[in-house]
Amino acid sequence: MSTNQSPEGDPKKSDLDEQALFFHRYPKPGKLAIQATKPLGNQRDLALAYSPGVAAPCLEIARDPSLAADYTSRANLVAVISNGTAVLGLGNIGPLASKPVMEGKAVLFKKFADIDVFDIEVDAYEIDHFCKVVAALEPTFGGINLEDIKSPECFEIEARLREEMAIPVFHDDQHGTAIIAAAAVRNALRLGGKKLEEVKIVASGAGAAALACLNLLVSLGAKLENILVTDKDGLVYKGRTVTMDRWKDVYARDTEMRTLEEALDGADIFLGLSAAGVLKPDYLKKMADKPLILALANPVPEIMPDLAREVRPDAMICTGRSDFPNQVNNVLCFPFIFRGALDCGATGITEGMKQAATDAIAELAREEVSEVAAKAYGSETPVFGPDYLIPSPFDPRLILKIAPAVARAAEKDGVASRPIEDMQAYVEKLSRFVFRSGMIMKPIFQIARNSAKRVIFADGEDERVLRAAQVLMEDEVCVPILIGRPAVLETRLERYGLKIRPGKDFEVINPEDDPRYRDYVDHYFQRVGRKGVSPDTARTVVRTNTTVIGAVAVSRGEADSLICGLEGRFPHHVRDISQVIGMRRDVKKLAAMSLLITQGATKFFLDTYVQRDPNTEELAEMTRLAAAELRRFGIDPKAAFVSHSNFGTDDTEDTVKLRKALKLVKAAMPDLEIDGEMHGDSALSEAIRKRNMPDSTLTGEANLLIFPTLDAANITLNVVKQMTDALHVGPILLGAASPAHVLTPSVTSRGVVNMAAIATAQAIGLEG
């Protein structure tokens, strides 16, 4: 963070400063707002939310205080509290000036772990006063995050509040840094073949973060006699009286050494939480083999990594900066520690919970990086090693590892008032933070898993497909077959840090040299020979068109389903599928359905990509296919024909065909909840719909929206997706003789995984 404190508009102010000031002021000052979670649309809502209805939950909580977790937001509410005495690199700027930082911390809690936060800036500098204010807030919050409080007062404040309060109290400046640094130590020692109880540790700095790091390392097994601490006044030794306190005194050694340079002789770990440049290159020459350098001063570390590597190329280096590998950033852990602590109703943060978080972070760095996680690392996929000791702060898997580990440790340590009863279900619930499709896709993955169905990927050389293939194999969703050149596949798999290999772990169809080439040409020509395709053209197509190759493989029974479309035009892929794979016997025309998943809803849109202007019979057919597909998801379909007309308010060609299609669908599927034609808001609101049509045969919210034309469906899909930041699953192609799906170029690797699971579930469904 910039320390430039000149007035807004100062010509000396950096571009980043100006952008930050604009960002914080517009379009609305600050970064937080309060949002109601219950509807307040009428007098009854107000009566339930406040007087007289609110009396009921008040009395229940008075009878049993634990019910506050059921009737209020307390169990998901954290206070970020500071008195502004040690704000980032800005020093003692006071509580009011610290508010932007505390709001920023609140945003991180929400972004990374869906935890609500009130930032509270306290004008209290005496320990007694501060503790009295904070302790009095316990009825409001499920946890307290202390922030930017100067040392050594922060030690006493946290200790007293932990003693007085029956909710988690966590000083992130201490323990967040300690947990991440300890995870780096765990992995560095693993790579170096060393043991924590044997290594020599030298610290530069004796403030809150440094001492917390050392305390945690000691609890993990480091020996006090192997630790030396230095600060601005030199080595911390027995008998020293200058700037000493009871927390620092724990690390006072009986030694003649007085300088950092002396202390580093034979050291395995340098822990720097002090000032820029204090670690001189010559000092590194005295350290042991494969040393770990934690140079965590910000914004300039104790030594720059490139300078350190010149002297010690065998060193493993961590900093607090994002422009170097191994960034020690507290956002790696604090949101997820609180997530786990809140969810199990923890009454405090124990040493065991901190150790569990440490181990979870260290273990995550040793796992292979998924495609979604790889986005957190830029173009280079990391592999566990000296430059990848700890995950990126933006690795989306962190919550899945840390929160459950913390919750388990809380239960083990006896501080979980609401232990997690079903840990697997809890992890699945948390997965929505990684893959927003996690919950809605669960039934599909359950159907697909262990089926051994073969899914062929036309774009096998694409990074997204390669990453998806590994996930699909590891999760045993399907057996992937990739169309691609083996040498290219090998090179790219190695580049992306993936362990699967062509010909060994998965089958490959090489479009340039496959022994089945002539058979594929003959098969393709049999399907399209009377549709304007000559034998010569067939040979060229089968050599160059990977969608055709995949479709032929499915048609010949060598694969169960096809995924294609990452390159080329959507209609062309649909044409190849319809010509080679063909339609089911009971289907006359293919259709495409798209799924949008938002934080609050799941909606299916039909037809978004294939049929430009379906007629009455085609609308009825696609509705039947879509309803069956929803049931595969474990969803009871509630369908609505949407239109500019609302139950007969207008007569146009489109509205008339919707009404006729409704009659056909009701005759063919009398058990399907469906109605129309109706406005979009009527489809999504039973209250609005009942006002216009009290006897509507649709109840609740429609989850399947059928449009009169492709234009209407596709425009609505993309507008809603953009406005709600929804996740798009699909398009799901309906009606093919064998499952086949045409993806859009913007699809992610997780999207490829989702569609492969859908294709597999469809293939299993065809067997029944």
Side-chain angles (χ1 to χ4, degrees):
M1 180 173 178
S2 171
T3 58
N4 189 339
Q5 300 180 56
S6 54
E8 185 177 359
D10 189 324
K12 297 180 181 179
K13 193 171 292 296
S14 72
D15 182 61
L16 179 62
D17 289 337
E18 293 290 357
Q19 291 180 40
L21 291 171
F22 185 89
F23 175 85
H24 282 77
R25 175 175 283 186
Y26 302 103
K28 186 177 181 180
K31 299 187 285 282
L32 296 174
I34 301 297
Q35 182 175 345
T37 60
K38 297 293 189 293
L40 300 171
N42 53 48
Q43 186 60 40
R44 180 170 178 77
D45 290 344
L46 295 174
L48 291 171
Y50 196 52
S51 180
V54 75
C58 288
L59 292 172
E60 287 294 294
I61 295 170
R63 179 181 61 81
D64 181 358
S66 69
L67 293 177
D70 297 326
Y71 296 121
T72 75
S73 62
R74 182 175 186 262
N76 195 52
L77 187 61
V78 166
V80 171
I81 302 180
S82 179
N83 61 6
T85 53
V87 180
L88 298 178
L90 305 177
N92 186 354
I93 61 175
L96 181 59
S98 77
K99 188 171 180 65
V101 178
M102 303 312 125
E103 284 189 352
K105 192 84 171 194
V107 170
L108 295 178
F109 267 107
K110 189 66 178 178
K111 170 68 176 177
F112 288 97
D114 197 30
I115 293 172
D116 296 319
V117 167
F118 289 160
D119 65 290
I120 298 177
E121 294 74 35
V122 180
D123 190 6
Y125 303 100
E126 297 293 330
I127 292 176
D128 289 344
H129 187 192
F130 187 91
C131 289
K132 186 175 182 179
V133 170
V134 176
L137 297 172
E138 183 172 343
T140 302
F141 297 102
I144 302 292
N145 184 92
L146 300 173
E147 194 75 18
D148 292 350
I149 303 168
K150 72 183 181 73
S151 172
E153 288 88 338
C154 61
F155 299 119
E156 182 68 29
I157 286 171
E158 186 191 38
R160 285 176 54 171
L161 290 175
R162 290 178 63 179
E163 183 68 26
E164 294 177 25
M165 304 180 78
I167 58 175
V169 176
F170 187 80
H171 185 204
D172 184 46
D173 297 325
Q174 292 184 56
H175 308 299
T177 303
I179 288 166
I180 304 158
V185 169
R186 281 272 207 230
N187 283 338
L189 296 184
R190 187 185 185 98
L191 290 171
K194 302 178 182 181
K195 296 181 179 180
L196 183 57
E197 58 269 24
E198 298 174 355
V199 295
K200 179 180 178 180
I201 303 170
V202 176
S204 173
L211 294 182
C213 288
L214 295 174
N215 292 342
L216 181 55
L217 290 173
V218 169
S219 76
L220 290 169
K223 302 298 184 184
L224 274 174
E225 58 266 27
N226 295 336
I227 298 174
L228 294 169
V229 177
T230 63
D231 61 12
K232 60 185 178 61
D233 296 305
L235 195 83
V236 175
Y237 61 91
K238 286 192 179 296
R240 181 177 133 176
T241 57
V242 179
T243 61
M244 292 294 289
D245 54 56
R246 63 187 178 94
W247 299 278
K248 194 185 300 185
D249 193 57
V250 172
Y251 295 98
R253 299 275 75 83
D254 188 3
T255 177
E256 297 298 320
M257 290 185 286
R258 294 294 183 265
T259 67
L260 174 63
E261 182 178 8
E262 291 175 300
L264 281 170
D265 190 9
D268 299 279
I269 298 171
F270 169 80
L271 172 64
L273 284 149
S274 53
V278 301
L279 182 60
K280 307 301 181 186
D282 285 346
Y283 298 179
L284 299 180
K285 297 176 181 178
K286 300 183 176 183
M287 294 186 71
D289 291 339
K290 298 179 181 178
L292 171 63
I293 300 170
L294 293 155
L296 307 182
N298 255 329
V300 182
E302 285 79 3
I303 189 169
M304 294 299 289
D306 49 355
L307 183 59
R309 288 201 186 283
E310 288 180 9
V311 181
R312 292 301 301 263
D314 62 333
M316 292 168 273
I317 307 169
C318 301
T319 71
R321 295 169 59 121
S322 61
D323 53 345
F324 290 103
N326 297 321
Q327 183 192 13
V328 175
N329 185 326
N330 288 12
V331 80
L332 260 168
C333 68
F334 74 80
F336 317 120
I337 289 173
F338 270 97
R339 181 73 278 160
L342 292 171
D343 291 340
C344 71
T347 57
I349 302 289
T350 66
E351 203 67 21
M353 293 162 74
K354 290 187 285 184
Q355 291 177 6
T358 298
D359 290 339
I361 293 170
E363 289 168 6
L364 182 57
R366 299 195 293 269
E367 293 184 4
E368 291 183 20
V369 178
S370 65
E371 184 267 345
V372 171
K375 290 183 178 179
Y377 299 92
S379 58
E380 295 297 324
T381 303
V383 177
F384 177 61
D387 286 334
Y388 182 55
L389 298 173
I390 47 179
S392 161
F394 297 96
D395 192 318
R397 300 169 297 170
L398 286 163
I399 192 171
L400 302 179
K401 298 294 183 180
I402 299 174
V406 168
R408 281 191 290 263
E411 182 176 2
K412 181 180 178 181
D413 291 346
V415 297
S417 64
R418 300 187 306 275
I420 306 296
E421 295 182 1
D422 187 337
M423 191 57 70
Q424 183 177 351
Y426 177 58
V427 173
E428 290 174 355
K429 180 181 177 183
L430 291 174
S431 69
R432 71 180 184 271
F433 296 108
V434 184
F435 309 125
R436 285 179 291 172
S437 60
M439 302 306 289
I440 188 68
M441 290 296 297
K442 180 181 175 182
I444 298 296
F445 280 94
Q446 286 180 329
I447 294 170
R449 193 159 283 122
N450 298 317
S451 68
K453 290 296 180 184
R454 301 157 300 171
V455 179
I456 189 165
F457 294 88
D459 304 286
E461 296 176 1
D462 190 282
E463 177 183 358
R464 292 164 292 182
V465 170
L466 294 172
R467 292 188 181 280
Q470 178 151 317
V471 171
L472 292 165
M473 292 179 64
E474 290 178 348
D475 292 350
E476 298 181 326
V477 174
C478 66
V479 177
I481 302 170
L482 273 57
I483 300 174
R485 295 160 292 178
V488 174
L489 294 173
E490 286 273 11
T491 300
R492 294 185 179 180
L493 286 166
E494 186 172 346
R495 181 192 308 166
Y496 304 139
L498 301 173
K499 66 181 182 182
I500 57 174
R501 288 296 178 266
K504 178 182 178 182
D505 299 304
F506 59 89
E507 182 183 344
V508 176
I509 294 181
N510 182 357
E512 294 181 345
D513 183 19
D514 192 279
R516 294 164 290 187
Y517 170 69
R518 293 183 181 276
D519 294 335
Y520 274 40
V521 171
D522 291 342
H523 188 94
Y524 178 60
F525 186 71
Q526 288 174 8
R527 296 299 177 103
V528 300
R530 294 185 178 272
K531 297 178 181 178
V533 177
S534 68
D536 285 343
T537 301
R539 283 188 284 272
T540 301
V541 169
V542 174
R543 184 73 75 188
T544 60
N545 187 326
T546 56
T547 294
V548 166
I549 296 172
V552 169
V554 171
S555 181
R556 282 166 52 91
E558 296 170 1
D560 299 296
S561 56
L562 166 67
I563 302 294
C564 63
L566 293 181
E567 293 184 5
R569 295 188 61 198
F570 194 96
H572 294 169
H573 295 289
V574 173
R575 176 203 62 201
D576 293 335
I577 290 169
S578 63
Q579 288 182 346
V580 179
I581 295 177
M583 264 80 73
R584 283 166 36 183
R585 293 180 180 178
D586 60 339
V587 174
K588 294 181 179 179
K589 212 166 187 179
L590 299 176
M593 178 173 67
S594 290
L595 165 61
L596 285 188
I597 303 170
T598 68
Q599 299 238 349
T602 298
K603 303 297 178 190
F604 293 84
F605 297 74
L606 184 71
D607 173 354
T608 48
Y609 282 91
V610 177
Q611 297 193 36
R612 295 180 180 274
D613 188 11
N615 60 33
T616 298
E617 289 74 20
E618 290 164 347
L619 281 167
E621 180 180 84
M622 70 170 67
T623 301
R624 172 174 60 86
L625 295 172
E629 195 65 31
L630 262 67
R631 292 192 175 103
R632 200 189 313 277
F633 278 88
I635 298 172
D636 289 328
K638 294 176 178 287
F641 284 111
V642 290
S643 168
H644 77 284
S645 173
N646 204 30
F647 298 107
T649 58
D650 197 3
D651 291 309
T652 65
E653 184 178 340
D654 282 345
T655 59
V656 169
K657 75 176 179 181
L658 289 176
R659 289 174 209 157
K660 291 180 178 179
L662 180 64
K663 291 180 181 179
L664 292 178
V665 173
K666 284 187 172 182
M669 306 178 70
D671 60 335
L672 176 64
E673 274 199 49
I674 185 169
D675 209 345
E677 82 286 4
M678 69 181 76
H679 286 170
D681 56 356
S682 294
L684 301 179
S685 170
E686 185 172 33
I688 295 174
R689 186 167 61 252
K690 290 298 185 184
R691 284 200 296 268
N692 293 287
M693 187 56 58
D695 63 348
S696 174
T697 53
L698 177 65
T699 62
E701 287 188 26
N703 51 29
L704 173 59
L705 306 178
I706 305 113
F707 296 82
T709 64
L710 184 148
D711 273 353
N714 190 272
I715 290 169
T716 305
L717 170 75
N718 285 291
V719 169
V720 173
K721 180 174 69 172
Q722 183 64 29
M723 290 182 66
T724 61
D725 191 28
L727 174 68
H728 179 208
V729 178
I732 303 168
L733 200 62
L734 306 174
S738 295
H741 300 290
V742 183
L743 306 179
T744 59
S746 61
V747 72
T748 65
S749 180
R750 186 61 193 184
V752 177
V753 170
N754 285 337
M755 293 309 301
I758 290 172
T760 301
Q762 289 175 329
I764 294 169
L766 290 177
E767 292 178 345

